[in-house]
Amino acid sequence: MKGKKTLSIRPQPDAAVPETVMVMAAGLGKRMRPLTATRPKPLVQVAGKTLIDHTFDHLRAAGVKRAVVNVHYLADQMEAHLRARVKDMEVLISDEREQLLETGGGIVKAREMIGDKPFLCVNSDNLWIDGPVDAIRALAARWDDEKMDALLLLVPLARANCHRGMGDFRVDAQGRITERRKPGRVAPFVYIGVQILSPRVIRDWPEGPFSTNLFWSRAMEAGRLYGVVHQGLWFDIGTPEAIPMAEAALADA
């Protein structure tokens, strides 16, 4: 007869987590079709829970108080889900029904709701499992406002479950992100959809849709783009085929 597992309480990083998060929930989820034919991608279920509910579980655990959520595709469904499921956190909607603005444009549209302090930015279709410490708290503990404009949560390419890419960045010994992956090459780290951004870097933006890559490039050129390596599991839930693979791994975790 197997003995019961004893749950140990692990010490968590002692750092102030940003009070506000920008939750990216407006994408079309084209690669996730046919599952997204009738629902937005963040409402696709993995292991019996929607992706956005997995995300909000992490935000609650880290102590985040306020979420700004952008919506576009099947926005009424997303708003109804948030009203029904998120009762313990202030939720503001950044409405992109008229035009999908991508990640950078979405942040610009929501900037007045986000405020003037460093904030979390999380992809709502992200799925990760914390390692020895809470990943959001670990990110907050590493944040240094004097030398950083952006701090990204990364995972080694070798541990990027269900991921089909070739990596995103190279990082030096101090955690500074020094370069992007070059064409035809492999980069050792993958960005996994969780970051802290300073409002300082949100300036001189183009009109219309654009990517957060603009802000990252600006921070990298100034030597102010850093990364933290995630110590737990991460799954790239980009296609329907990734769901059973992730669920099988989660069942063994």
Side-chain angles (χ1 to χ4, degrees):
M1 180 177 177
K2 293 183 179 179
K4 293 183 178 179
K5 292 183 179 179
T6 300
L7 297 178
S8 59
I9 300 175
R10 301 182 178 98
Q12 299 298 311
D14 184 15
V17 173
E19 291 187 358
T20 298
V21 61
M22 173 78 188
V23 180
M24 296 294 182
L28 298 174
K30 291 181 179 180
R31 292 191 301 135
M32 190 58 82
R33 290 176 179 170
L35 297 180
T36 51
T38 58
R39 79 195 85 174
K41 184 180 177 184
L43 297 188
V44 170
Q45 290 199 359
V46 178
K49 184 182 297 185
T50 68
L51 288 167
I52 199 167
D53 286 342
H54 282 289
T55 297
F56 269 92
D57 284 349
H58 285 296
L59 297 174
R60 289 187 190 93
V64 178
K65 304 298 184 185
R66 185 169 177 271
V68 179
V69 185
N70 67 341
V71 297
H72 171 76
Y73 178 60
L74 300 176
D76 290 349
Q77 282 191 39
M78 182 61 65
E79 289 195 57
H81 183 87
L82 292 169
R83 285 194 301 268
R85 299 300 295 269
V86 184
K87 305 288 191 180
D88 54 352
M89 191 182 305
E90 181 184 6
V91 176
L92 302 176
I93 298 298
S94 181
D95 193 334
E96 296 181 22
R97 283 175 172 84
E98 291 186 2
Q99 183 182 26
L100 181 60
L101 294 170
E102 299 185 29
T103 52
I107 289 172
V108 167
K109 181 176 177 62
R111 67 192 185 281
E112 292 185 5
M113 287 185 281
I114 291 170
D116 58 0
K117 297 179 180 178
F119 62 97
L120 275 167
C121 185
V122 179
N123 294 351
S124 64
D125 56 2
N126 215 8
L127 182 63
W128 79 91
I129 304 298
D130 287 326
V133 298
D134 182 295
I136 292 176
R137 290 180 182 273
L139 201 68
R142 183 70 177 89
W143 177 257
D144 185 339
D145 197 58
E146 291 187 0
K147 67 179 183 181
M148 298 177 185
D149 284 337
L151 178 64
L152 315 187
L153 192 62
L154 309 172
V155 72
L157 179 59
R159 291 200 286 111
N161 295 292
C162 310
H163 187 62
R164 298 179 180 178
M166 299 174 67
D168 298 316
F169 298 110
R170 293 187 177 277
V171 181
D172 69 14
Q174 286 71 47
R176 184 184 288 110
I177 296 174
T178 56
E179 63 178 321
R180 297 179 183 275
R181 182 182 66 83
K182 292 182 171 58
R185 303 285 184 88
V186 171
F189 292 101
V190 177
Y191 170 62
I192 62 172
V194 184
Q195 62 180 317
I196 295 177
L197 285 171
S198 168
R200 281 188 303 268
V201 79
I202 304 169
R203 63 182 189 278
D204 304 325
W205 55 80
E207 291 295 323
F210 70 95
S211 169
T212 314
N213 278 304
L214 172 68
F215 302 144
W216 292 347
S217 295
R218 186 173 291 159
M220 191 186 305
E221 289 169 5
R224 297 178 61 86
L225 180 65
Y226 283 76
V228 168
V229 178
H230 178 47
Q231 299 301 314
L233 298 175
W234 174 73
F235 302 92
D236 185 351
I237 311 296
T239 64
E241 293 74 24
I243 294 175
M245 295 170 62
E247 289 177 335
L250 290 170
D252 293 335

